[in-house]
Short mmCIF file of all heavy atoms in Angstrom, two decimals:
data_model
loop_
_atom_site.label_atom_id
_atom_site.label_comp_id
_atom_site.label_asym_id
_atom_site.label_seq_id
_atom_site.Cartn_x
_atom_site.Cartn_y
_atom_site.Cartn_z
N LEU A 372 55.47 143.42 150.17
CA LEU A 372 54.32 142.56 149.89
C LEU A 372 54.33 141.97 148.49
O LEU A 372 53.66 140.98 148.20
CB LEU A 372 53.02 143.35 150.09
CG LEU A 372 52.60 143.49 151.55
CD1 LEU A 372 51.49 144.53 151.66
CD2 LEU A 372 52.11 142.16 152.07
N PRO A 374 56.28 140.14 146.46
CA PRO A 374 56.45 138.70 146.17
C PRO A 374 55.31 137.84 146.71
O PRO A 374 54.99 136.80 146.12
CB PRO A 374 57.77 138.34 146.89
CG PRO A 374 58.46 139.65 147.11
CD PRO A 374 57.38 140.67 147.28
N ALA A 375 54.71 138.28 147.82
CA ALA A 375 53.60 137.51 148.38
C ALA A 375 52.41 137.58 147.44
O ALA A 375 51.71 136.58 147.20
CB ALA A 375 53.21 138.05 149.75
N GLN A 376 52.19 138.77 146.84
CA GLN A 376 51.11 138.90 145.87
C GLN A 376 51.37 138.03 144.65
O GLN A 376 50.50 137.34 144.14
CB GLN A 376 50.96 140.37 145.44
CG GLN A 376 50.23 141.18 146.47
CD GLN A 376 50.33 142.68 146.21
OE1 GLN A 376 51.11 143.11 145.37
NE2 GLN A 376 49.56 143.44 146.95
N LEU A 377 52.65 138.07 144.19
CA LEU A 377 52.99 137.26 143.02
C LEU A 377 52.80 135.78 143.30
O LEU A 377 52.47 134.99 142.39
CB LEU A 377 54.44 137.53 142.58
CG LEU A 377 54.71 138.94 142.05
CD1 LEU A 377 56.18 139.14 141.77
CD2 LEU A 377 53.88 139.22 140.82
N ALA A 378 52.99 135.38 144.55
CA ALA A 378 52.87 133.97 144.91
C ALA A 378 51.40 133.61 145.21
O ALA A 378 51.09 132.46 145.50
CB ALA A 378 53.73 133.65 146.11
N GLY A 379 50.52 134.62 145.18
CA GLY A 379 49.11 134.34 145.41
C GLY A 379 48.77 134.09 146.88
O GLY A 379 47.81 133.40 147.20
N ALA A 380 49.61 134.65 147.78
CA ALA A 380 49.37 134.43 149.21
C ALA A 380 48.13 135.21 149.67
O ALA A 380 47.76 136.20 149.04
CB ALA A 380 50.59 134.89 150.00
N SER A 381 47.53 134.76 150.74
CA SER A 381 46.40 135.49 151.33
C SER A 381 46.89 136.87 151.76
O SER A 381 47.93 137.02 152.37
CB SER A 381 45.86 134.71 152.54
OG SER A 381 45.80 135.55 153.68
N ARG A 382 46.09 137.88 151.43
CA ARG A 382 46.48 139.26 151.69
C ARG A 382 46.65 139.53 153.18
O ARG A 382 47.59 140.20 153.59
CB ARG A 382 45.38 140.17 151.11
CG ARG A 382 45.90 141.50 150.65
CD ARG A 382 44.85 142.33 149.96
NE ARG A 382 45.25 143.71 150.02
CZ ARG A 382 46.27 144.23 149.35
NH1 ARG A 382 46.98 143.47 148.55
NH2 ARG A 382 46.60 145.51 149.47
N ARG A 383 45.77 138.94 153.94
CA ARG A 383 45.81 139.19 155.38
C ARG A 383 47.06 138.56 156.00
O ARG A 383 47.79 139.20 156.75
CB ARG A 383 44.54 138.58 156.02
CG ARG A 383 44.29 138.98 157.46
CD ARG A 383 42.96 138.39 157.96
NE ARG A 383 42.92 136.93 157.77
CZ ARG A 383 43.48 136.06 158.60
NH1 ARG A 383 44.10 136.48 159.67
NH2 ARG A 383 43.40 134.76 158.37
N LEU A 384 47.34 137.30 155.62
CA LEU A 384 48.53 136.64 156.14
C LEU A 384 49.81 137.35 155.68
O LEU A 384 50.75 137.53 156.45
CB LEU A 384 48.56 135.17 155.70
CG LEU A 384 47.50 134.29 156.35
CD1 LEU A 384 47.61 132.85 155.85
CD2 LEU A 384 47.64 134.33 157.88
N ALA A 385 49.81 137.77 154.39
CA ALA A 385 51.00 138.43 153.86
C ALA A 385 51.25 139.74 154.59
O ALA A 385 52.39 140.06 154.93
CB ALA A 385 50.82 138.66 152.36
N ARG A 386 50.18 140.48 154.87
CA ARG A 386 50.33 141.76 155.59
C ARG A 386 50.90 141.52 156.99
O ARG A 386 51.77 142.27 157.45
CB ARG A 386 48.98 142.48 155.72
CG ARG A 386 48.54 143.12 154.42
CD ARG A 386 47.65 144.34 154.65
NE ARG A 386 47.51 145.05 153.41
CZ ARG A 386 48.37 145.94 152.94
NH1 ARG A 386 49.43 146.27 153.67
NH2 ARG A 386 48.20 146.51 151.77
N ALA A 387 50.40 140.50 157.64
CA ALA A 387 50.90 140.20 159.00
C ALA A 387 52.38 139.81 158.94
O ALA A 387 53.19 140.25 159.76
CB ALA A 387 50.06 139.07 159.61
N ARG A 388 52.71 139.00 157.97
CA ARG A 388 54.09 138.54 157.83
C ARG A 388 55.01 139.73 157.50
O ARG A 388 56.08 139.89 158.08
CB ARG A 388 54.15 137.48 156.72
CG ARG A 388 55.51 137.13 156.23
CD ARG A 388 56.15 136.04 157.05
NE ARG A 388 57.45 135.68 156.50
CZ ARG A 388 58.50 135.34 157.24
NH1 ARG A 388 58.41 135.32 158.55
NH2 ARG A 388 59.63 135.02 156.68
N ALA A 389 54.58 140.59 156.58
CA ALA A 389 55.37 141.77 156.19
C ALA A 389 55.56 142.68 157.39
O ALA A 389 56.66 143.17 157.65
CB ALA A 389 54.69 142.51 155.03
N VAL A 424 59.58 137.48 152.71
CA VAL A 424 58.15 137.54 152.99
C VAL A 424 57.42 136.22 152.68
O VAL A 424 56.46 135.86 153.34
CB VAL A 424 57.49 138.73 152.24
CG1 VAL A 424 57.39 138.50 150.76
CG2 VAL A 424 56.12 139.06 152.85
N ASN A 425 57.93 135.46 151.73
CA ASN A 425 57.31 134.17 151.41
C ASN A 425 57.95 133.02 152.19
O ASN A 425 57.74 131.87 151.86
CB ASN A 425 57.40 133.88 149.91
CG ASN A 425 56.47 134.77 149.11
OD1 ASN A 425 55.53 135.34 149.65
ND2 ASN A 425 56.76 134.92 147.82
#
Side-chain angles (χ1 to χ4, degrees):
L372 280 168
Q376 281 167 350
L377 293 175
S381 127
R382 210 174 158 70
R383 192 176 54 82
L384 290 180
R386 284 208 168 275
R388 167 87 177 144
V424 72
N425 289 340

